[in-house]
Amino acid sequence: MPTEHIVQQGEYLAKIAAQYGFSSYRTIWDHANNAELKRKRKNPNILYPGDKLFIPDRQPREESASTDTRHDYRLKSETLKLRLLVKGSDDEPIANTPCVLIVENRRYEKTTNAAGNVEEIIRRGAHVASLTIRDVEIPLRIGDLDPVEEISGQQARLNNLGYDAGPVDGSDEAKRRSAVEEFQCDHKLKVDGDCGSKTQAKLVEVHGC
Amino acid sequence: MSDDCESLIDSASEGGLGAEHPPFLSHPVLVAPTYAEDYNTIRAAIVPIACWRLDDLRFEFASSFVRPEAAGELRHLARLVKVHPGAPLTIFGHADPVGNDQFNKVLSGRRATAVYAMLTRKTALWEELYSKPHGQDDWKKNKVVPFIRQDLGLPPEAGDGNSGSRAQLFQAYMDKYCRDQQGGSFRLGPADFLGRGAGAGGKGDYHGCSEFNPVLMFSRAEHQAFSQASDKAERDAANAPNRRVVVFLFRPGSKINVAKWPCPPATKGMDLCRKRFWSDADERRKFQPLRREFAATRDTFACRFYERIAGRSPCEAGVERSLPTLYVPEEPNSYNWVPLHSLWVYLVHFRGTEIEILQRLKLREGKLCDDQDRLVPVHCNRHAWFYFSHRDDLLTLDRARWFARDRSGLPLVGPFCVPCGPQARINIDIWQQNDWAIVRASRVDGARADKVMMAEWREDYGTGRLLPMQGGGIGFYPHGSYTEKQRQERWKGGTTLIPLIQFGSPGDRPMWVGTLSALPSPKAKLLLVHGVLYPGTYNELAPTGRNQEFPGHHLYDRFLVSRLLALGADDQAPAAIDALPDPPARCLVPGDMCWQTQGETPNCGPYSFSTAMNYWMPYTNNPAQRDGAWYAGRIDAMAIPAGARTPAHLADAAVRFHMNGRDNDAEEINRARALKVLKLWLQAGVPALILVKEEYGITSYHWKTVVGYDGNRFFMNNSGADNELIRARRTPGIEYERAPIGNDVDSETAFYDKWKAGGGDIVDLITSVDECTFIPLFPNDSMFGGGAAV
């Protein structure tokens, strides 16, 4: 039976797809019943608690093949990655620098590339991670980033960008507002403390998602 | 500002202030994974960690010339710089809101410049201040040069000399007053500043904020009164707090791109300032009906950028008190924060590494209260460390040792910055504490199979202990509470045994967080009990795998132990026992007592020994596997005969495990005194193995572990604790069923009869203790001096 899945905090489509036994998130994401959500959220791995996903039935797949030879069947599955861009307080990328990425207790010794990027393939459903670079350990929560249309999503991006917008629970409105205004000022947007669609778009652009 | 704010305030003097900033709360970076090319930017924030303020008083009146009295404040700055190596500085000068912005921009910039020049010995900058007067700030007219000559003890001279001779004078004056605490030279280089000297006009290094960021705005009425007065001295005096120079130190390694730095050079560029104004800056800069102080109203700074740096700075905002609410996530990775309660809170403020304030407080729905349930205000904007415990007696510990900032004693949680304001809340993600043992599980009594909210448990909360439950798993049993009594009654009535307040197995929702004991080492991971009891959850709670060595937090009174040892092992003098204080009721940390079962072996001695060893060295055993066999096997290997060991055997085993086991053979003294000695050992924090004579159909001797007592009753862990009582078959053919915990008799009937005979209350049941033979098991010289067992 098809079901409806209500997204919880920390869930992202890759995780949900794995949970329901789909090898590809596309089976869910591209389903006609999810078209509206797809339009609204754009990014399948940035959903908001309360979002409703239609989960179709799994379809058995048939493959015809001759019976007299061996066939290898491999499950195709997209590669889920965690991709980061690390910058210093001077806004310059921290390039070619060794760092340690820990995802769910797995430790990856990495080096940022010339543009300050570091990435790793992760398990669908991974949540807790950390990046240690220049002796600073940065705790990461994969899948907790909310859509930019939501205040929590705006605050999280501002925090990631070093604007200290306060905790994402909305308990510090003054901090949130000052961070929005600073961001707007730095990016030559109208400074009004109101994180409207233009500011949101800029946030996504600068943050990277 | 009240006196007890001083620990955040590093130094306060009449001419300024040096202080640590409250800790920066870094939020976890929330990121999205991707199938495409999206990425997540993580950019380091610019975070001030300390500040220093030089007040108007330290400048020549209406001038940028730094007076000799600033030497004291400069010494404090030297100290701040020394304790924060590599932390770049930046300087902001401020004028009062009198006169026009442009004039004040230059004035405030000149004072910042003067301080920068003094710190870096850039005499050319002073020469510039000298040669380009600004209103009243005229060094020539103010006779700065003759003053310096006189101050340095040089003979007076006609005229101010040339720029070369002035440079020498300035240099000597700066050298004289810019010194560190030891009297050595305190001199900074351009590279010590945020802009690293790379910006034109000191951009990034020193700035003038004009009158944009006053800490005090008069009320409209005050302003009018001052405006009408012909003598402006009173107004200027009232405005003094606004005329200040503030230095911030940033996190070591902080870098800026000078070109993108928002603040213009010291004495120009007001347009750039205005760009950074709050959108409601005009309103902020007006005199309003009420007087406003930044510390209270937080709306007097026009510059948003400055407020982001200085808003929480003790140099600008002072230190306030608030009534914060403490929240914890209901379960790991939960987003549902619930008020913490039912635990004692030990709140510590440090001054450096010294304890400044140590309070034991209650928690009521997350609010800190005193013993009379009155709310207790806490310093806000300053570091607080917490320790949570179900024990109320930790203040008796050696404070300096156990409440240590480096967490070498108790695993304090912190530092937390206590926020200000009525809605202040402190979110403590207790699940992320790597060194805490946490119990969480759901209530499994038949009446409420679902879950119990944390609040419901509060009434019953006393102390408790972690014990295995009949149905498997581990439950947290409060004892000494009515629930245990109820339980006894149910047994007697033959009703189905329903564990009353039990937390544990098969859990869907967590119910309680708290400490079991400090986690000593990575080996301790199995001490964490978690939901459906399964081991190995440590990594889930501490994903980064960090860990620290902790000795544990047992209350161990070595002084009392030494007094008890002085009694001698036998022939103890009654008078000496009577001279000792009467012990109050107590129980050893229940969670530290872990479950051991002797199964069908005759090894009650080794298993009791194991129980006590678990108290001292919880990481030597794996409670989830209940492998007291570890000790049993090693004791066997010591060629001590199997089966019930003699007291001498166990005392000997203790020595081999680098512990002391003292055979107290108390047959010569009377019963009351023997029991007093036993209680005193427990009072000292030492569990004791005790030999019990049991007579229920058969007669046998049996070792148990005494772990506490209340007014009437000893608490014992049998060698098998609950489990053994339920299932053990120590003597072939005789199976004990469902005997109660916490007494010294294995038969529920016998227990109940004695209980009833005692008037229906719990009575002293140590009736069958054989001649009060017991062996307190305690470490050799210092706590946990035994280290790893053999």
Side-chain angles (χ1 to χ4, degrees):
Chain A
M1 285 291 287
T3 48
E4 185 182 74
H5 180 91
I6 298 174
V7 174
Q8 310 283 312
Q9 183 67 58
E11 287 188 333
Y12 46 97
L13 188 57
K15 183 177 183 174
I16 298 165
Q19 199 178 310
Y20 285 94
F22 291 95
S23 61
S24 169
Y25 75 96
R26 292 197 172 279
T27 319
I28 301 174
W29 196 236
D30 295 341
H31 196 279
N33 290 10
N34 287 320
E36 196 186 328
L37 185 69
K38 193 175 170 181
R39 253 196 313 281
K40 187 177 171 194
R41 294 300 180 213
K42 298 175 189 73
N43 189 330
N45 289 316
I46 306 181
L47 301 175
Y48 193 61
D51 281 354
K52 288 175 187 157
L53 270 171
F54 176 80
I55 310 290
D57 280 339
R58 277 190 289 165
Q59 302 291 337
R61 195 165 139 200
E62 287 180 20
E63 291 279 338
S64 54
S66 58
T67 53
D68 53 350
T69 51
R70 276 184 60 189
H71 302 278
D72 281 343
Y73 291 104
R74 292 232 174 97
L75 216 49
K76 259 204 236 161
S77 165
E78 302 89 348
T79 322
L80 187 69
K81 286 179 181 172
L82 175 64
R83 305 185 76 234
L84 306 170
L85 166 58
V86 194
K87 288 178 161 186
S89 55
D90 55 357
D91 209 26
E92 295 300 319
I94 300 181
N96 307 317
T97 305
C99 57
V100 175
L101 186 65
I102 294 173
V103 184
E104 297 193 308
N105 299 322
R106 246 183 242 176
R107 190 185 156 92
Y108 305 94
E109 308 266 351
K110 312 285 286 185
T111 302
T112 58
N113 69 12
N117 291 107
V118 58
E119 64 173 55
E120 185 52 59
I121 297 168
I122 59 169
R123 182 183 72 81
R124 299 188 296 169
H127 181 221
V128 176
S130 73
L131 177 75
T132 304
I133 188 162
R134 289 183 178 165
D135 296 328
V136 178
E137 183 188 313
I138 305 159
L140 307 171
R141 296 286 177 273
I142 301 166
D144 273 346
L145 187 69
D146 286 337
V148 75
E149 296 82 21
E150 309 296 338
I151 288 179
S152 55
Q154 297 155 10
Q155 279 183 305
R157 285 172 179 80
L158 288 164
N159 284 336
N160 295 357
L161 291 169
Y163 285 96
D164 189 15
V168 291
D169 58 15
S171 59
D172 197 335
E173 167 60 17
K175 230 179 201 179
R176 185 202 68 82
R177 196 175 137 227
S178 82
V180 172
E181 290 198 6
E182 275 303 292
F183 178 82
Q184 290 172 328
C185 190
D186 282 344
H187 294 91
K188 305 196 165 47
L189 296 159
K190 185 178 172 222
V191 180
D192 54 8
D194 186 9
C195 197
S197 56
K198 278 185 188 162
T199 309
Q200 290 172 17
K202 195 75 189 176
L203 261 179
V204 170
E205 180 196 322
V206 177
H207 180 263
C209 70
Chain B
M1 197 169 290
S2 62
D3 291 333
D4 41 12
C5 297
E6 282 180 5
S7 77
L8 192 63
I9 306 301
D10 198 62
S11 65
S13 56
E14 58 174 349
L17 190 72
E20 303 287 328
H21 273 221
F24 176 71
L25 290 182
S26 61
H27 318 283
V29 172
L30 312 185
V31 295
T34 185
Y35 286 122
E37 296 302 301
D38 307 332
Y39 56 91
N40 302 273
T41 302
I42 306 172
R43 183 183 151 193
I46 282 272
V47 180
I49 54 172
C51 66
W52 176 83
R53 193 185 72 221
L54 192 63
D55 292 337
D56 189 47
L57 198 63
R58 294 294 184 247
F59 293 91
E60 193 66 36
F61 178 72
S63 164
S64 53
F65 177 64
V66 182
R67 293 194 51 84
E69 294 83 354
E73 284 78 26
L74 286 164
R75 275 199 298 277
H76 294 310
L77 179 60
R79 210 192 73 80
L80 277 180
V81 168
K82 193 175 170 193
V83 298
H84 295 293
L89 291 77
T90 196
I91 305 174
F92 293 96
H94 300 277
D96 62 24
V98 173
N100 76 59
D101 290 355
Q102 180 59 51
F103 183 87
N104 280 331
K105 176 83 176 84
V106 179
L107 190 65
S108 59
R110 284 170 67 95
R111 280 192 168 178
T113 307
V115 171
Y116 176 80
M118 191 151 184
L119 294 172
T120 54
R121 308 292 194 275
K122 288 197 183 296
T123 54
L125 289 172
W126 274 23
E127 177 63 23
E128 208 175 312
L129 294 171
Y130 172 89
S131 57
K132 292 179 187 163
H134 179 71
Q136 275 182 277
D137 184 15
D138 186 336
W139 289 33
K140 200 168 195 173
K141 220 181 248 177
N142 295 337
K143 300 195 169 32
V144 165
V145 174
F147 175 83
I148 292 177
R149 287 193 67 87
Q150 190 191 356
D151 182 77
L152 295 173
L154 300 171
E157 231 176 38
D160 284 352
N162 60 26
S163 64
S165 67
R166 279 195 299 274
Q168 278 177 6
L169 283 176
F170 291 158
Q171 173 88 36
Y173 182 80
M174 291 168 174
D175 283 342
K176 180 174 175 188
Y177 293 113
C178 218
R179 298 198 161 270
D180 64 21
Q181 307 238 271
Q182 286 72 41
S185 172
F186 170 44
R187 180 175 181 168
L188 300 172
D192 295 321
F193 288 81
L194 200 54
R196 305 177 64 83
K203 200 164 183 285
D205 297 334
Y206 53 100
H207 314 88
C209 291
S210 184
E211 55 172 90
F212 302 140
N213 303 316
V215 285
L216 160 67
M217 285 294 280
F218 299 141
S219 68
R220 208 173 284 156
E222 284 172 314
H223 173 66
Q224 276 162 5
F226 283 139
S227 308
Q228 282 155 14
S230 52
D231 182 2
K232 302 297 183 197
E234 204 181 330
R235 176 198 65 189
D236 291 341
N239 247 329
N242 288 327
R243 300 188 296 268
R244 67 210 189 272
V245 170
V246 185
V247 173
F248 295 100
L249 282 77
F250 294 88
R251 275 200 294 216
S254 294
K255 274 194 214 164
I256 59 162
N257 179 338
V258 175
K260 289 187 186 170
W261 181 249
C263 305
T267 55
K268 47 191 162 202
M270 275 210 308
D271 292 349
L272 283 175
C273 288
R274 290 218 167 82
K275 268 193 185 167
R276 293 286 160 173
F277 276 12
W278 283 100
S279 45
D280 61 350
D282 289 347
E283 196 56 32
R284 288 165 176 256
R285 300 191 61 200
K286 272 183 198 151
F287 294 104
Q288 293 178 7
L290 294 175
R291 177 190 176 100
R292 292 176 294 146
E293 290 177 21
F294 179 76
T297 63
R298 310 190 71 82
D299 62 351
T300 60
F301 292 174
C303 179
R304 181 186 57 242
F305 183 74
Y306 185 72
E307 184 168 335
R308 290 173 60 78
I309 291 175
R312 297 199 314 156
S313 171
C315 292
E316 296 287 57
V319 179
E320 305 170 51
R321 285 168 186 270
S322 68
L323 297 168
T325 310
L326 274 53
Y327 285 85
V328 290
E330 196 177 19
E331 60 184 319
N333 297 324
S334 167
Y335 298 88
N336 187 26
W337 292 80
V338 293
L340 184 63
H341 62 68
S342 298
L343 289 165
W344 289 101
V345 178
Y346 294 85
L347 167 67
V348 201
H349 291 299
F350 291 99
R351 180 202 299 270
T353 55
E354 306 273 297
I355 296 171
E356 187 199 2
I357 300 170
L358 170 58
Q359 288 170 287
R360 186 196 66 191
L361 301 165
K362 280 180 173 175
L363 270 174
R364 288 278 176 258
E365 293 302 321
K367 289 278 187 200
L368 299 166
C369 302
D370 64 12
D371 285 352
Q372 277 80 48
D373 282 343
R374 289 176 304 216
L375 291 173
V376 175
V378 181
H379 284 294
C380 65
N381 272 345
R382 67 170 286 191
H383 309 234
W385 274 255
F386 295 100
Y387 187 66
F388 303 101
S389 178
H390 49 274
R391 290 183 56 160
D392 63 358
D393 58 353
L394 300 186
L395 289 180
T396 60
L397 295 172
D398 172 358
R399 297 179 182 210
R401 169 161 184 195
W402 290 102
F403 293 92
R405 187 173 173 153
D406 62 5
R407 298 155 46 96
S408 55
L410 297 171
L412 304 179
V413 196
F416 287 93
C417 173
V418 182
C420 297
Q423 301 302 320
R425 62 184 277 164
I426 302 177
N427 287 345
I428 301 175
D429 194 347
I430 207 159
W431 305 104
Q432 298 297 333
Q433 299 300 322
N434 299 331
D435 37 26
W436 283 51
I438 294 164
V439 183
R440 68 185 188 111
S442 56
R443 179 165 167 160
V444 291
D445 70 57
R448 298 181 204 216
D450 49 353
K451 62 172 186 173
V452 185
M453 294 314 294
M454 293 173 81
E456 292 181 44
W457 198 30
R458 190 177 54 200
E459 294 307 312
D460 303 332
Y461 194 85
T463 58
R465 54 180 163 171
L466 195 70
L467 290 170
M469 297 190 304
Q470 223 183 351
I474 289 275
F476 188 84
Y477 290 70
H479 54 204
S481 68
Y482 73 93
T483 52
E484 188 169 343
K485 194 171 160 187
Q486 281 181 334
R487 196 152 60 104
Q488 311 281 9
E489 284 169 340
R490 287 195 193 211
W491 284 341
K492 179 60 188 170
T495 52
T496 315
L497 175 58
I498 298 171
L500 287 175
I501 307 286
Q502 293 190 353
F503 294 82
S505 83
D508 56 341
R509 305 292 289 174
M511 290 319 309
W512 181 78
V513 297
T515 54
L516 274 181
S517 65
L519 277 190
S521 77
K523 294 178 212 158
K525 58 181 67 163
L526 297 173
L527 259 188
L528 285 177
V529 178
H530 182 268
V532 189
L533 179 67
Y534 57 89
T537 55
Y538 178 76
N539 286 338
E540 183 183 333
L541 295 179
T544 55
R546 279 180 308 183
N547 212 325
Q548 295 185 48
E549 291 288 339
F550 288 106
H553 71 281
H554 307 288
L555 179 63
Y556 177 50
D557 187 342
R558 275 198 281 162
F559 178 65
L560 183 52
V561 167
S562 63
R563 290 180 76 182
L564 289 165
L565 289 174
L567 291 174
D570 36 37
D571 296 331
Q572 297 161 345
I577 296 173
D578 294 343
L580 290 167
D582 276 323
R586 74 155 299 191
C587 188
L588 305 182
V589 183
D592 293 338
M593 283 298 177
C594 88
W595 176 29
Q596 300 295 312
T597 176
Q598 73 185 85
E600 297 191 16
T601 74
N603 284 326
C604 58
Y607 279 85
S608 294
F609 184 83
S610 169
T611 303
M613 284 303 284
N614 263 292
Y615 173 72
W616 294 112
M617 287 185 278
Y619 40 99
T620 54
N621 274 11
N622 174 351
Q625 293 173 358
R626 307 178 292 282
D627 55 0
W630 193 88
Y631 282 99
R634 276 156 186 78
I635 293 176
D636 282 340
M638 293 171 195
I640 295 170
R645 271 70 175 200
T646 67
H649 287 150
L650 293 174
D652 184 39
V655 173
R656 295 173 188 235
F657 283 95
H658 306 294
M659 300 287 284
N660 283 311
R662 152 99 160 225
D663 178 8
N664 275 266
D665 193 351
E667 60 190 272
E668 299 302 321
I669 56 175
N670 75 26
R671 196 180 140 65
R673 289 198 178 96
L675 292 180
K676 181 178 175 183
V677 173
L678 176 56
K679 287 179 178 178
L680 282 166
W681 275 104
L682 293 164
Q683 181 60 23
V686 175
L689 315 182
I690 187 161
L691 192 58
V692 177
K693 188 177 175 187
E694 297 171 332
E695 298 173 63
Y696 311 109
I698 55 150
T699 299
S700 74
Y701 288 95
H702 182 37
W703 284 105
K704 296 166 180 250
T705 316
V706 185
V707 298
Y709 57 90
D710 60 15
N712 297 309
R713 170 179 62 159
F714 281 89
F715 299 124
M716 302 220 188
N717 272 31
N718 278 301
S719 60
D722 206 5
N723 185 58
E724 182 212 12
L725 287 166
I726 293 162
R727 292 184 224 122
R729 231 179 280 154
R730 276 196 312 281
T731 309
I734 296 186
E735 188 161 1
Y736 300 98
E737 289 285 346
R738 296 200 318 240
I741 307 163
N743 66 81
D744 65 333
V745 192
D746 282 354
S747 155
E748 61 176 300
T749 310
F751 170 75
Y752 187 72
D753 288 344
K754 284 178 183 174
W755 179 40
K756 285 307 249 190
D761 211 341
I762 297 168
V763 295
D764 184 348
L765 288 162
I766 308 279
T767 50
S768 58
V769 174
D770 174 47
E771 296 164 344
C772 289
T773 292
F774 60 88
I775 304 179
L777 196 68
F778 56 102
N780 257 329
D781 39 18
S782 62
M783 187 167 296
F784 304 106
V790 291

